[in-house]
mmCIF file of all heavy atoms in Angstrom:
data_model
loop_
_atom_site.group_PDB
_atom_site.id
_atom_site.type_symbol
_atom_site.label_atom_id
_atom_site.label_comp_id
_atom_site.label_asym_id
_atom_site.label_seq_id
_atom_site.Cartn_x
_atom_site.Cartn_y
_atom_site.Cartn_z
ATOM 1 N N ASP A 1 -12.819 14.575 8.792
ATOM 2 C CA ASP A 1 -13.843 13.537 8.809
ATOM 3 C C ASP A 1 -13.601 12.679 10.051
ATOM 4 O O ASP A 1 -12.607 11.944 10.108
ATOM 5 C CB ASP A 1 -13.764 12.700 7.537
ATOM 6 C CG ASP A 1 -14.810 11.608 7.473
ATOM 7 O OD1 ASP A 1 -14.979 10.855 8.458
ATOM 8 O OD2 ASP A 1 -15.460 11.481 6.415
ATOM 9 N N GLU A 2 -14.486 12.767 11.039
ATOM 10 C CA GLU A 2 -14.281 12.069 12.314
ATOM 11 C C GLU A 2 -14.165 10.559 12.138
ATOM 12 O O GLU A 2 -13.345 9.916 12.805
ATOM 13 C CB GLU A 2 -15.417 12.387 13.290
ATOM 14 C CG GLU A 2 -15.353 13.793 13.847
ATOM 15 C CD GLU A 2 -16.476 14.068 14.842
ATOM 16 O OE1 GLU A 2 -17.046 13.101 15.399
ATOM 17 O OE2 GLU A 2 -16.758 15.260 15.059
ATOM 18 N N LYS A 3 -14.969 9.961 11.257
ATOM 19 C CA LYS A 3 -14.906 8.511 11.044
ATOM 20 C C LYS A 3 -13.569 8.109 10.432
ATOM 21 O O LYS A 3 -12.963 7.122 10.829
ATOM 22 C CB LYS A 3 -16.065 8.039 10.160
ATOM 23 C CG LYS A 3 -17.399 8.059 10.860
ATOM 24 C CD LYS A 3 -18.481 7.540 9.944
ATOM 25 C CE LYS A 3 -19.831 7.588 10.637
ATOM 26 N NZ LYS A 3 -20.909 7.105 9.767
ATOM 27 N N ARG A 4 -13.109 8.874 9.460
ATOM 28 C CA ARG A 4 -11.817 8.572 8.844
ATOM 29 C C ARG A 4 -10.696 8.749 9.868
ATOM 30 O O ARG A 4 -9.801 7.922 9.959
ATOM 31 C CB ARG A 4 -11.573 9.456 7.617
ATOM 32 C CG ARG A 4 -10.231 9.167 6.963
ATOM 33 C CD ARG A 4 -9.998 9.939 5.668
ATOM 34 N NE ARG A 4 -10.425 11.314 5.730
ATOM 35 C CZ ARG A 4 -11.262 11.873 4.854
ATOM 36 N NH1 ARG A 4 -11.769 11.187 3.857
ATOM 37 N NH2 ARG A 4 -11.592 13.148 4.974
ATOM 38 N N ASP A 5 -10.759 9.831 10.662
ATOM 39 C CA ASP A 5 -9.742 10.044 11.692
ATOM 40 C C ASP A 5 -9.715 8.877 12.676
ATOM 41 O O ASP A 5 -8.637 8.390 13.054
ATOM 42 C CB ASP A 5 -9.983 11.357 12.436
ATOM 43 C CG ASP A 5 -9.774 12.582 11.557
ATOM 44 O OD1 ASP A 5 -9.251 12.444 10.426
ATOM 45 O OD2 ASP A 5 -10.135 13.682 11.998
ATOM 46 N N ALA A 6 -10.875 8.391 13.078
ATOM 47 C CA ALA A 6 -10.946 7.240 13.994
ATOM 48 C C ALA A 6 -10.331 6.006 13.345
ATOM 49 O O ALA A 6 -9.611 5.239 14.008
ATOM 50 C CB ALA A 6 -12.388 6.976 14.403
ATOM 51 N N HIS A 7 -10.570 5.809 12.048
ATOM 52 C CA HIS A 7 -9.992 4.661 11.343
ATOM 53 C C HIS A 7 -8.467 4.788 11.276
ATOM 54 O O HIS A 7 -7.748 3.813 11.486
ATOM 55 C CB HIS A 7 -10.592 4.532 9.942
ATOM 56 C CG HIS A 7 -10.177 3.283 9.246
ATOM 57 N ND1 HIS A 7 -10.069 3.201 7.878
ATOM 58 C CD2 HIS A 7 -9.827 2.061 9.715
ATOM 59 C CE1 HIS A 7 -9.672 1.992 7.532
ATOM 60 N NE2 HIS A 7 -9.517 1.270 8.629
ATOM 61 N N LEU A 8 -7.976 5.989 11.010
ATOM 62 C CA LEU A 8 -6.521 6.190 10.950
ATOM 63 C C LEU A 8 -5.860 5.970 12.309
ATOM 64 O O LEU A 8 -4.708 5.554 12.377
ATOM 65 C CB LEU A 8 -6.206 7.587 10.419
ATOM 66 C CG LEU A 8 -6.527 7.795 8.938
ATOM 67 C CD1 LEU A 8 -6.464 9.271 8.576
ATOM 68 C CD2 LEU A 8 -5.595 6.979 8.065
ATOM 69 N N LYS A 9 -6.573 6.210 13.389
ATOM 70 C CA LYS A 9 -6.046 5.981 14.739
ATOM 71 C C LYS A 9 -6.094 4.507 15.142
ATOM 72 O O LYS A 9 -5.426 4.104 16.085
ATOM 73 C CB LYS A 9 -6.832 6.806 15.761
ATOM 74 C CG LYS A 9 -6.663 8.302 15.596
ATOM 75 C CD LYS A 9 -7.600 9.051 16.530
ATOM 76 C CE LYS A 9 -7.638 10.530 16.204
ATOM 77 N NZ LYS A 9 -8.573 11.254 17.091
ATOM 78 N N SER A 10 -6.854 3.711 14.415
ATOM 79 C CA SER A 10 -7.083 2.301 14.767
ATOM 80 C C SER A 10 -5.875 1.424 14.422
ATOM 81 O O SER A 10 -4.887 1.881 13.844
ATOM 82 C CB SER A 10 -8.317 1.789 14.030
ATOM 83 O OG SER A 10 -8.004 1.488 12.677
ATOM 84 N N VAL A 11 -6.006 0.123 14.751
ATOM 85 C CA VAL A 11 -4.928 -0.840 14.461
ATOM 86 C C VAL A 11 -4.682 -0.988 12.968
ATOM 87 O O VAL A 11 -3.611 -1.436 12.563
ATOM 88 C CB VAL A 11 -5.209 -2.218 15.107
ATOM 89 C CG1 VAL A 11 -5.212 -2.121 16.610
ATOM 90 C CG2 VAL A 11 -6.505 -2.819 14.590
ATOM 91 N N ASP A 12 -5.648 -0.601 12.113
ATOM 92 C CA ASP A 12 -5.437 -0.661 10.662
ATOM 93 C C ASP A 12 -4.337 0.290 10.197
ATOM 94 O O ASP A 12 -3.712 0.063 9.157
ATOM 95 C CB ASP A 12 -6.722 -0.314 9.909
ATOM 96 C CG ASP A 12 -7.749 -1.430 9.931
ATOM 97 O OD1 ASP A 12 -7.376 -2.581 10.223
ATOM 98 O OD2 ASP A 12 -8.929 -1.132 9.649
ATOM 99 N N PHE A 13 -4.109 1.368 10.960
ATOM 100 C CA PHE A 13 -3.099 2.350 10.574
ATOM 101 C C PHE A 13 -2.145 2.630 11.739
ATOM 102 O O PHE A 13 -1.208 1.882 11.959
ATOM 103 C CB PHE A 13 -3.750 3.639 10.059
ATOM 104 C CG PHE A 13 -4.374 3.488 8.703
ATOM 105 C CD1 PHE A 13 -5.733 3.247 8.567
ATOM 106 C CD2 PHE A 13 -3.602 3.564 7.551
ATOM 107 C CE1 PHE A 13 -6.306 3.084 7.319
ATOM 108 C CE2 PHE A 13 -4.159 3.399 6.294
ATOM 109 C CZ PHE A 13 -5.522 3.163 6.179
ATOM 110 N N PHE A 14 -2.358 3.699 12.497
ATOM 111 C CA PHE A 14 -1.371 4.145 13.495
ATOM 112 C C PHE A 14 -1.438 3.421 14.834
ATOM 113 O O PHE A 14 -0.505 3.514 15.611
ATOM 114 C CB PHE A 14 -1.489 5.660 13.717
ATOM 115 C CG PHE A 14 -1.105 6.464 12.510
ATOM 116 C CD1 PHE A 14 -2.011 7.314 11.913
ATOM 117 C CD2 PHE A 14 0.177 6.373 11.981
ATOM 118 C CE1 PHE A 14 -1.656 8.058 10.805
ATOM 119 C CE2 PHE A 14 0.542 7.112 10.867
ATOM 120 C CZ PHE A 14 -0.379 7.954 10.276
ATOM 121 N N ASP A 15 -2.515 2.750 15.134
ATOM 122 C CA ASP A 15 -2.653 1.998 16.391
ATOM 123 C C ASP A 15 -2.239 2.864 17.587
ATOM 124 O O ASP A 15 -1.344 2.528 18.360
ATOM 125 C CB ASP A 15 -1.820 0.719 16.329
ATOM 126 C CG ASP A 15 -2.223 -0.304 17.368
ATOM 127 O OD1 ASP A 15 -3.177 -0.055 18.142
ATOM 128 O OD2 ASP A 15 -1.574 -1.367 17.425
ATOM 129 N N VAL A 16 -2.932 3.986 17.748
ATOM 130 C CA VAL A 16 -2.537 4.998 18.735
ATOM 131 C C VAL A 16 -2.680 4.554 20.181
ATOM 132 O O VAL A 16 -2.091 5.173 21.070
ATOM 133 C CB VAL A 16 -3.276 6.341 18.509
ATOM 134 C CG1 VAL A 16 -3.001 6.880 17.113
ATOM 135 C CG2 VAL A 16 -4.768 6.205 18.763
ATOM 136 N N GLU A 17 -3.422 3.497 20.432
ATOM 137 C CA GLU A 17 -3.522 2.989 21.803
ATOM 138 C C GLU A 17 -2.185 2.404 22.258
ATOM 139 O O GLU A 17 -1.846 2.454 23.433
ATOM 140 C CB GLU A 17 -4.629 1.946 21.921
ATOM 141 C CG GLU A 17 -6.021 2.527 21.762
ATOM 142 C CD GLU A 17 -6.358 3.566 22.822
ATOM 143 O OE1 GLU A 17 -6.045 3.347 24.006
ATOM 144 O OE2 GLU A 17 -6.936 4.607 22.452
ATOM 145 N N ILE A 18 -1.427 1.864 21.327
ATOM 146 C CA ILE A 18 -0.120 1.266 21.657
ATOM 147 C C ILE A 18 1.028 2.205 21.296
ATOM 148 O O ILE A 18 1.970 2.365 22.068
ATOM 149 C CB ILE A 18 0.046 -0.089 20.942
ATOM 150 C CG1 ILE A 18 -0.977 -1.080 21.502
ATOM 151 C CG2 ILE A 18 1.468 -0.628 21.104
ATOM 152 C CD1 ILE A 18 -1.001 -2.416 20.811
ATOM 153 N N PHE A 19 0.970 2.836 20.133
ATOM 154 C CA PHE A 19 2.075 3.671 19.641
ATOM 155 C C PHE A 19 1.692 5.141 19.767
ATOM 156 O O PHE A 19 0.932 5.672 18.975
ATOM 157 C CB PHE A 19 2.407 3.302 18.191
ATOM 158 C CG PHE A 19 2.818 1.866 18.049
ATOM 159 C CD1 PHE A 19 1.915 0.915 17.595
ATOM 160 C CD2 PHE A 19 4.093 1.459 18.403
ATOM 161 C CE1 PHE A 19 2.290 -0.417 17.475
ATOM 162 C CE2 PHE A 19 4.471 0.127 18.290
ATOM 163 C CZ PHE A 19 3.560 -0.810 17.825
ATOM 164 N N LYS A 20 2.223 5.789 20.780
ATOM 165 C CA LYS A 20 1.835 7.155 21.160
ATOM 166 C C LYS A 20 2.600 8.245 20.407
ATOM 167 O O LYS A 20 2.230 9.414 20.476
ATOM 168 C CB LYS A 20 2.035 7.368 22.658
ATOM 169 C CG LYS A 20 1.376 6.322 23.534
ATOM 170 C CD LYS A 20 -0.106 6.458 23.541
ATOM 171 C CE LYS A 20 -0.714 5.484 24.552
ATOM 172 N NZ LYS A 20 -2.122 5.319 24.361
ATOM 173 N N VAL A 21 3.694 7.870 19.725
ATOM 174 C CA VAL A 21 4.575 8.877 19.122
ATOM 175 C C VAL A 21 5.042 8.419 17.744
ATOM 176 O O VAL A 21 5.344 7.245 17.533
ATOM 177 C CB VAL A 21 5.809 9.123 20.026
ATOM 178 C CG1 VAL A 21 6.833 10.017 19.350
ATOM 179 C CG2 VAL A 21 5.395 9.700 21.360
ATOM 180 N N ILE A 22 5.093 9.368 16.819
ATOM 181 C CA ILE A 22 5.813 9.207 15.556
ATOM 182 C C ILE A 22 7.033 10.106 15.678
ATOM 183 O O ILE A 22 6.924 11.255 16.106
ATOM 184 C CB ILE A 22 4.945 9.606 14.352
ATOM 185 C CG1 ILE A 22 3.790 8.608 14.203
ATOM 186 C CG2 ILE A 22 5.776 9.688 13.077
ATOM 187 C CD1 ILE A 22 2.783 8.975 13.127
ATOM 188 N N ASN A 23 8.210 9.584 15.324
ATOM 189 C CA ASN A 23 9.462 10.299 15.557
ATOM 190 C C ASN A 23 10.283 10.410 14.277
ATOM 191 O O ASN A 23 10.311 9.475 13.475
ATOM 192 C CB ASN A 23 10.253 9.549 16.631
ATOM 193 C CG ASN A 23 11.576 10.184 16.945
ATOM 194 O OD1 ASN A 23 12.601 9.676 16.543
ATOM 195 N ND2 ASN A 23 11.561 11.286 17.665
ATOM 196 N N PHE A 24 10.947 11.555 14.101
ATOM 197 C CA PHE A 24 11.906 11.746 13.013
ATOM 198 C C PHE A 24 13.174 12.335 13.596
ATOM 199 O O PHE A 24 13.122 13.354 14.300
ATOM 200 C CB PHE A 24 11.351 12.697 11.936
ATOM 201 C CG PHE A 24 12.362 13.035 10.886
ATOM 202 C CD1 PHE A 24 12.657 12.138 9.874
ATOM 203 C CD2 PHE A 24 13.035 14.245 10.931
ATOM 204 C CE1 PHE A 24 13.618 12.441 8.912
ATOM 205 C CE2 PHE A 24 13.990 14.554 9.972
ATOM 206 C CZ PHE A 24 14.278 13.658 8.964
ATOM 207 N N CYS A 25 14.317 11.693 13.325
ATOM 208 C CA CYS A 25 15.634 12.205 13.738
ATOM 209 C C CYS A 25 16.487 12.408 12.496
ATOM 210 O O CYS A 25 16.787 11.447 11.781
ATOM 211 C CB CYS A 25 16.334 11.227 14.682
ATOM 212 S SG CYS A 25 15.562 11.128 16.291
ATOM 213 N N ALA A 26 16.843 13.653 12.236
ATOM 214 C CA ALA A 26 17.693 13.965 11.083
ATOM 215 C C ALA A 26 19.100 13.470 11.352
ATOM 216 O O ALA A 26 19.597 13.564 12.472
ATOM 217 C CB ALA A 26 17.703 15.464 10.825
ATOM 218 N N ASN A 27 19.769 12.939 10.301
ATOM 219 C CA ASN A 27 21.138 12.472 10.497
ATOM 220 C C ASN A 27 22.140 12.946 9.450
ATOM 221 O O ASN A 27 23.329 12.785 9.644
ATOM 222 C CB ASN A 27 21.178 10.942 10.638
ATOM 223 C CG ASN A 27 20.527 10.222 9.483
ATOM 224 O OD1 ASN A 27 20.589 10.646 8.350
ATOM 225 N ND2 ASN A 27 19.870 9.114 9.800
ATOM 226 N N ARG A 28 21.665 13.533 8.343
ATOM 227 C CA ARG A 28 22.621 14.122 7.391
ATOM 228 C C ARG A 28 21.900 15.046 6.411
ATOM 229 O O ARG A 28 20.694 14.940 6.214
ATOM 230 C CB ARG A 28 23.437 13.065 6.685
ATOM 231 C CG ARG A 28 22.775 12.310 5.588
ATOM 232 C CD ARG A 28 23.751 11.268 4.980
ATOM 233 N NE ARG A 28 23.245 10.722 3.770
ATOM 234 C CZ ARG A 28 22.344 9.751 3.686
ATOM 235 N NH1 ARG A 28 21.839 9.238 4.773
ATOM 236 N NH2 ARG A 28 21.935 9.315 2.508
ATOM 237 N N TYR A 29 22.701 15.942 5.835
ATOM 238 C CA TYR A 29 22.201 16.944 4.902
ATOM 239 C C TYR A 29 23.080 16.911 3.667
ATOM 240 O O TYR A 29 24.291 16.734 3.764
ATOM 241 C CB TYR A 29 22.238 18.334 5.540
ATOM 242 C CG TYR A 29 21.512 18.362 6.867
ATOM 243 C CD1 TYR A 29 22.184 18.096 8.059
ATOM 244 C CD2 TYR A 29 20.155 18.625 6.914
ATOM 245 C CE1 TYR A 29 21.509 18.088 9.262
ATOM 246 C CE2 TYR A 29 19.470 18.619 8.122
ATOM 247 C CZ TYR A 29 20.157 18.357 9.288
ATOM 248 O OH TYR A 29 19.486 18.340 10.484
ATOM 249 N N GLU A 30 22.467 17.112 2.489
ATOM 250 C CA GLU A 30 23.218 17.068 1.237
ATOM 251 C C GLU A 30 22.698 18.107 0.260
ATOM 252 O O GLU A 30 21.567 18.573 0.365
ATOM 253 C CB GLU A 30 23.094 15.680 0.585
ATOM 254 C CG GLU A 30 23.763 14.581 1.356
ATOM 255 C CD GLU A 30 23.637 13.224 0.670
ATOM 256 O OE1 GLU A 30 22.978 13.126 -0.390
ATOM 257 O OE2 GLU A 30 24.196 12.259 1.221
ATOM 258 N N ASN A 31 23.556 18.397 -0.719
ATOM 259 C CA ASN A 31 23.199 19.210 -1.881
ATOM 260 C C ASN A 31 22.646 20.582 -1.526
ATOM 261 O O ASN A 31 21.631 21.018 -2.053
ATOM 262 C CB ASN A 31 22.213 18.456 -2.783
ATOM 263 C CG ASN A 31 22.775 17.145 -3.276
ATOM 264 O OD1 ASN A 31 23.966 17.051 -3.553
ATOM 265 N ND2 ASN A 31 21.946 16.133 -3.365
ATOM 266 N N SER A 32 23.339 21.256 -0.646
ATOM 267 C CA SER A 32 22.936 22.604 -0.282
ATOM 268 C C SER A 32 23.131 23.533 -1.468
ATOM 269 O O SER A 32 24.177 23.539 -2.107
ATOM 270 C CB SER A 32 23.772 23.091 0.907
ATOM 271 O OG SER A 32 23.435 24.406 1.231
ATOM 272 N N ALA A 33 22.115 24.307 -1.766
ATOM 273 C CA ALA A 33 22.175 25.259 -2.874
ATOM 274 C C ALA A 33 22.090 26.678 -2.326
ATOM 275 O O ALA A 33 21.617 26.907 -1.222
ATOM 276 C CB ALA A 33 21.035 25.000 -3.856
#
């Protein structure tokens, strides 16, 4: 949905004009089966 995507990119959510990246850095692992 283009309108919803535009809203999610806006300052109400991700504010993509200012914040260009979402980042995840793993730092530990547990409970390996």
Side-chain angles (χ1 to χ4, degrees):
D1 181 312
E2 287 181 21
K3 288 182 181 179
R4 180 175 42 234
D5 293 349
H7 188 209
L8 290 168
K9 294 173 191 179
S10 79
V11 295
D12 285 342
F13 288 97
F14 294 120
D15 198 2
V16 302
E17 291 299 317
I18 294 175
F19 300 100
K20 308 288 186 195
V21 172
I22 293 174
N23 179 255
F24 174 78
C25 290
N27 55 35
R28 77 180 192 279
Y29 306 90
E30 293 181 357
N31 301 324
S32 177

